[in-house]
Amino acid sequence: MREITTVGVIGLGTMGAGIVEVFARGGLDVVGVETTQEYADRGRAILQASTDRAVARGRLDEAGQAEILGRVTISTDLGDLAGADLVVEAVPEIMALKHEVFAKLDDIVAEDAVLASNTSSLSITQIAAPTRHPGRVVGLHFFNPAPVLKLVEVITTLRSEPAVVEAVVAVSERLGKKPVVVGDRAGFVANYLLFGYFTSALRMLEHGHVSREDLDTAMRVGAGLPMGPCTLMDLVGLDVCHHIGDVIYSHTRSSMHAPSPMLGRMVTSGLLGRKSGRGFYTYARPGGGQVVEDAQTPVPLEAPTLRTVGVVGAGEVAEELASRLEEGGYAVVHVPDAEDSAELARLAPAGLVIEAQELDTDVDDLADLEDGVELPGRDVDDLFAELGEITGPQTVLATVNAAAAVALGAISGRPERCVVLRVHAPTGNGQVVEIGRTSVTDEAALAMLRDVVTRLGAEPVVCRDRAGLVVDALLVPHLNDAVRMLDEGYASVSDIDTALQHGLGYPTGPFAMIDAIGADEVLAVCEELASGSSGLPRDAVEASPLLVEHVLLDRPFTGA
Ligand code: 3HC
């Protein structure tokens, strides 16, 4: 196999220009080819801007930048690729165009040069089939921004020669990338998993379950991902998302991948994300990432004054809530014993009462309880009936236990002022408290709850009170989908973890996340989503048999 020292890149859009930068930074000579001088100039400008940014941030000195740019030749003539050892194609996702480019390359490059496609959605097998030497064709899929994200998926076909795959892996590693070698399947590893999650997020948005801002906060802060789905789809491009989503759906025909009508309408209307200046958000200028206000930007309601907050329940959650509320400047009435009516009467002046008992309703423990032995804590329904009588009509009643806000509203006679709260563990990006509302929840009460959560040092997410709210309803099926992919034998634990950590910037891969959360907890949420009213399609929430196996065997996915 010839050594790879000169690389050709065809197509200098966002991805192509990023790929040029990656190779040039890695010390290779690069020839970038575009169809017209205008596109060639645009490609050079992307490269210049990206390296300027690195210089401005002190990551690169000017001499280093000059060296990188000096390794790059930009051309409008494919013939300039004659000396390339590896050519990466990054032209638009149209099969006929790919075939045209690869047919021309067959006549231009040496017989032992490697040909790669950066396609994110088309079949490498189909791209390779009509070429003169299909054995030298592989997929080499980069992630946006290519200079930052370390993953490259190396996609092989049944004809790919092992030496070609080895050479591509070796050059990727030389560039400091993390290659993952997988077979040819719609979406490969990262996009396949990403788009299952995107489709569910789009469905929530389209159903008015949550706002775009709260959806993004839920996943960035609550799940610890680098960006929320709306911000990320705007970065990737909504047309690209639409196309990849369609390809994956045509492969799986699963309702969890069914295309979003809303996304289709946005693309048809020219709302393509950052590149067109408008997508889920509106941007200061096309191509930029600075979000500006638009008609959907929430106008914050003035929160009603709240002085006294009641907390009911003993244990860690209640105590932590009470002390954080005190730190937030509220007068706190803490009633540890929910059975004690005389103590509960002290809650009369509270504008907000939070039920935070540690209800141990774990199935195993329940099985251990002998007949007639009562569960620890007081039944939430029963407690809310009493709270409805003790407190005034304006008092907001909340529970951190998984009870339905609508039922509690009916029981307490306060349907407009009953919510469920889900306090998430902090992630590297902060902490989220989800506020589950019903269709009749009072907007002023929600404004007050947002204010309380903010004063607790967390970020509020308001959503419909449906099974799993937003964070669990999106994150857990995404993790379960990764287990399914493993079960299907498409990729290994380490490949999948590498793909999501280094291709999508996740703090850890999905299997490391499952092991941190506990497979049993992930399974319990899947079951809750499947049996409850999550609004997600059944095939999105059905637990993978392999997940069940790991729970029964009490075996982690990662480590020894
Ligand atoms: N080009 C070059 N460098 C960039 C860049 C760009 N477009 N955007 C950010 N960077 C660099 C910055 O210079 C900075 O580098 P430094 O630490 O050395 O100074 C670093 O990345 C972090 O940038 P910021 O501080 O500006 O911003 P963040 O910390 O928020 O990171 C992000 C931005 C890297 C984009 C991060 O939010 C992230 O990883 N998001 C997830 C992106 C993702 O999932 N991409 C994959 C999409 S799917 C895909 O591409 C496949 C395709 O087929 C659809």
Side-chain angles (χ1 to χ4, degrees):
M1 198 65 232
R2 63 196 274 168
E3 200 195 336
I4 296 175
T5 56
T6 302
V7 177
V9 178
I10 308 176
L12 303 178
T14 312
M15 286 310 290
I19 296 168
V20 167
E21 183 180 338
V22 169
F23 282 111
R25 276 177 178 259
L28 284 89
D29 291 326
V30 190
V31 181
V33 182
E34 255 299 356
T35 45
T36 65
Q37 194 54 48
E38 187 194 342
Y39 288 155
D41 292 344
R42 187 193 59 182
R44 186 179 286 285
I46 297 175
L47 182 63
Q48 182 75 44
S50 180
T51 50
D52 280 351
R53 178 175 163 151
V55 171
R57 291 191 171 223
R59 302 282 183 192
L60 187 66
D61 59 23
E62 278 175 14
Q65 181 184 27
E67 218 177 286
I68 290 170
L69 298 179
R71 283 191 206 111
V72 178
T73 310
I74 305 276
S75 153
T76 53
D77 180 5
L78 277 180
D80 288 341
L81 298 175
D85 309 302
L86 163 68
V87 178
V88 183
E89 162 279 308
V91 303
E93 299 281 68
I94 302 164
M95 188 56 84
L97 192 57
K98 308 270 185 191
H99 281 156
E100 193 187 316
V101 167
F102 277 78
K104 284 185 182 156
L105 285 174
D106 269 341
D107 291 333
I108 293 169
V109 299
E111 288 221 341
D112 58 351
V114 175
L115 302 185
S117 172
N118 178 57
T119 182
S120 49
S121 55
L122 299 178
S123 157
I124 303 296
T125 308
Q126 256 183 294
I127 292 174
T131 64
R132 206 171 294 150
H133 308 288
R136 64 166 167 179
V137 179
V138 289
L140 189 57
H141 184 215
F142 289 80
F143 288 77
N144 184 7
V148 184
L149 292 170
K150 290 207 178 318
L151 177 69
V152 284
E153 289 173 321
V154 177
I155 296 103
T156 62
T157 70
L158 297 176
R159 305 277 301 266
S160 301
E161 286 159 20
V164 167
V165 178
E166 272 169 36
V168 170
V169 166
V171 77
S172 305
E173 283 170 345
R174 251 174 77 196
L175 299 169
K177 293 287 181 190
K178 303 234 178 232
V180 163
V181 181
V182 284
D184 188 15
R185 206 180 91 155
F188 316 132
V189 177
N191 277 347
Y192 181 88
L193 295 175
L194 181 65
F195 278 76
Y197 152 65
F198 274 173
T199 312
S200 295
L202 283 164
R203 198 171 282 118
M204 274 189 187
L205 201 61
E206 187 158 18
H207 294 177
H209 188 109
V210 62
S211 70
R212 64 184 181 186
E213 285 84 1
D214 280 0
L215 175 54
D216 276 353
T217 302
M219 300 316 286
R220 184 177 54 79
V221 184
L225 307 185
M227 289 175 161
C230 301
T231 304
L232 183 52
M233 281 187 268
D234 273 357
L235 174 76
V236 169
L238 303 194
D239 50 343
V240 176
C241 290
H242 193 239
H243 182 71
I244 298 174
D246 273 358
V247 169
I248 294 176
Y249 180 61
S250 64
H251 169 77
T252 67
R253 291 285 162 201
S254 153
S255 48
M256 76 178 276
H257 296 117
S260 155
M262 177 181 66
L263 187 63
R265 282 194 297 273
M266 291 174 81
V267 173
T268 309
S269 309
L271 276 62
L272 305 182
R274 282 190 192 190
K275 61 183 162 192
S276 70
R278 205 175 140 197
F280 289 102
Y281 295 96
T282 303
Y283 297 88
R285 60 172 182 83
Q290 192 200 332
V291 174
V292 294
E293 284 189 10
D294 61 19
Q296 284 180 59
T297 305
V299 183
L301 267 186
E302 202 178 321
T305 311
L306 174 69
R307 291 201 178 80
T308 307
V309 182
V311 177
V312 181
E316 255 178 64
V317 180
E319 269 157 34
E320 194 192 332
L321 257 178
S323 81
R324 280 172 73 177
L325 284 161
E326 256 164 12
E327 283 165 23
Y330 297 105
V332 175
V333 178
H334 184 188
V335 179
D337 184 0
E339 311 272 3
D340 187 336
S341 289
E343 278 289 293
L344 286 175
R346 291 170 51 226
L347 296 169
L352 166 66
V353 176
I354 305 174
E355 183 276 327
Q357 299 180 90
E358 244 166 34
L359 295 181
D360 194 356
T361 52
D362 191 61
V363 177
D364 292 341
D365 292 343
L366 278 177
D368 291 343
L369 288 174
E370 287 175 20
D371 281 350
V373 176
E374 284 187 14
L375 279 175
R378 183 171 175 188
D379 176 67
V380 180
D381 290 1
D382 192 30
L383 174 64
F384 267 62
E386 188 165 348
L387 290 175
E389 286 167 17
I390 294 170
T391 59
Q394 294 302 315
T395 303
V396 175
L397 303 178
T399 174
V400 302
N401 282 302
V406 66
L408 296 177
I411 288 162
S412 60
R414 194 106 16 108
E416 293 88 4
R417 287 186 179 71
C418 267
V419 296
V420 297
L421 298 179
R422 171 94 164 85
V423 184
H424 287 272
T427 67
N429 296 333
Q431 185 175 24
V432 149
V433 175
E434 288 178 287
I435 303 165
R437 62 169 297 171
T438 71
S439 54
V440 298
T441 309
D442 182 58
E443 295 299 330
L446 290 171
M448 185 183 85
L449 285 159
R450 279 189 185 275
D451 196 40
V452 171
V453 171
T454 309
R455 284 221 242 162
L456 289 177
E459 294 201 41
V461 164
V462 173
C463 57
R464 285 289 172 90
D465 178 25
R466 297 287 148 80
L469 301 176
V470 177
V471 177
D472 283 355
L474 290 181
L475 183 63
V476 167
H478 189 35
L479 301 179
N480 180 47
D481 210 16
V483 182
R484 259 194 228 135
M485 179 178 274
L486 176 67
D487 201 19
E488 287 160 2
Y490 179 60
S492 68
V493 165
S494 118
D495 288 344
I496 298 171
D497 270 356
T498 301
L500 269 56
Q501 188 172 4
H502 297 287
L504 307 180
Y506 287 11
T508 64
F511 291 102
M513 283 188 205
I514 295 174
D515 286 345
I517 298 168
D520 52 346
E521 178 63 26
V522 173
L523 178 61
V525 176
C526 280
E527 286 169 350
E528 185 200 343
L529 294 172
S531 65
S533 55
S534 64
L536 297 170
R538 180 148 290 273
D539 50 7
V541 295
E542 201 171 343
S544 157
L546 187 61
L547 178 65
V548 178
E549 263 183 40
H550 275 256
V551 173
L552 293 176
L553 296 172
D554 193 17
R555 195 167 285 197
F557 284 96
T558 56

